[in-house]
Amino acid sequence: TKKLNDIISSKSTIPIPAEKTSTPTVTALNSLATLQEATTSVDRGNTSVKTPTYRFSMVYAVSQRLLNQSFQNLFVVNETLQAINYDNDATGMIGSELMAPNISLPVVGADAPLWYMNFGVGGTFTYYELKSKKMVQVPTDNWILVFRVNLVATNVASGTDDHAAVMKAIGTKSPSDYRITRSEMDLRTAPFQDLRWDLCKLPGLNITNDMKVALNLVLGVWANDAADSNAGTLGYVWTTLSPHGAYSNAPAFPPTDQIFQTYPYLANPTSVPVQGLDIGEDKMLLYLGMTQYMSFPPERALPYKANWTTPNIPATMCIGSAVFFDSFLMRSMYGNDGAVWDEKQFFRGNGVWHHMIPGSTTGSQMVLATCGIRGITTETANSMVVAQGGNSITFSGVSTVTLTTEIVVFGVHQSSSSTIKNTWNITMTVDSIPAGGLQLNMNLPAKDSDLFKITTSKSSSWIQPDSLVNQIVSDLARQSQTNRIRSAAQELQTVLNGTGKFIFPGCGTLMYGKAMFNNEKHLLVEVSYDG
């Protein structure tokens, strides 16, 4: 039992937390009309990272249910969450075991999140009653005290135990490249002088002003100790300080900045969001990330369009299509050749393969002139189709070489052509690794000859030597190498296994489940808590 007298005497003022006056770091949606505007489907596949003016790069959506599950695990290892024991000779004392706390997120209006402090059985609270001038003792059996807390983001200093633990979970030994942020309920500034008495439960007790004053004091001291032990921690996220250096093959993938907001859950497009501990357990906390040091959208909040989580999917990791495809996948697959992702699910590379007939320059000119070949044209077209609601990406491509001839026979001009096509098709699946991360599975055949198919066609008037066509076929076959495709799959897997980790405190770890692409081609991954 700690003596409040000793604690207070070491401070210049009594540690009564004050209302936080700075701008809250959490953004709550505050307009029900705006919230439901243009909502046609609450299905998870209809989610979006777009705001009215721009878009976010990445989203982590964590349901209130999963956050409270994380507190169950944190409760096991954090002693300040397990009991409250303080003694003050003049004001009173409290001694009770605690049960795991709960939180309730706001989704409409500007109210702060709520902390539910749950008492066990067998404890007592003793306070000084002015009217009787006596110490009064009451049981604390099954008490529930509810108070507001601000949701804040705190940078975790390098060299601390928290920082080392998160860096270990990320799997890196370069702390200077990353910034670790702890999202937490700020217990130190909780207004205990203004408990939510409408939600508190103190069975069989008549709440008096003397009791409120004494509770304010002991709760304030407990909150300071709890804050020192990071008892309000919701989770850890990290951003890179060097987007070009963290992963050389994915310069735009790691987030460089993040903010968070609350987000509602709607059972259907016409329903209204609910708040509360049990009935609102599906509402969410969103971590909104930007890459490449891009600025946040002016709105700094994601409007509701659909549910990121469901009763069966407690959390979702979303990598926006602009990041996954434009900035990452296509660069890894095809290099910086000008490939552009468009709204029709297809991309095309601007690179053109140029074919040269083997031999000396003089020899080539002689062959061209002798055979009457007037032109060699080449064209390469690649396409990619994303399976909406599925986890597959189909890549296909065709490289076409066309030879055209023009000769004069007995004064008559005769034109002909021969076409050689090299086609390929690969279906890639994005699968999760339950222990944490994603991997890309490409069912590549062992032999390149089984992956690429080369065909030829000739016009009926083609009379040139077959050796010309055969030489081009041979060159195409030699250039049909899958080394880049194979290495790209390994690069993508490496980055996806290292990026996008949201690490909860306590002894549990995240479990990644099914991956899918939604209607806007964002990659969604189911997340659950294992602990």
Side-chain angles (χ1 to χ4, degrees), residues 422 478 520:
N422 182 16
R478 187 169 58 252
E520 293 186 358

Side-chain angles (χ1 to χ4, degrees), residues 7-60:
I7 297 174
I8 294 173
S9 64
S10 66
K11 301 179 182 293
S12 58
T13 58
I14 295 178
I16 299 178
E19 291 276 7
K20 190 171 184 178
T21 57
S22 60
T23 302
T25 58
V26 61
T27 303
L29 301 179
N30 55 19
S31 172
L32 184 59
T34 301
L35 177 84
Q36 292 188 313
E37 183 179 356
T39 299
T40 59
S41 173
V42 299
D43 183 76
R44 186 166 167 265
N46 201 40
T47 47
S48 176
V49 299
K50 296 178 181 178
T51 71
T53 60
Y54 196 48
R55 65 172 182 267
F56 291 99
S57 302
M58 305 172 71
V59 176
Y60 296 82

Side-chain angles (χ1 to χ4, degrees), residues 72 86 329:
Q72 293 281 345
Y86 297 102
L329 183 59

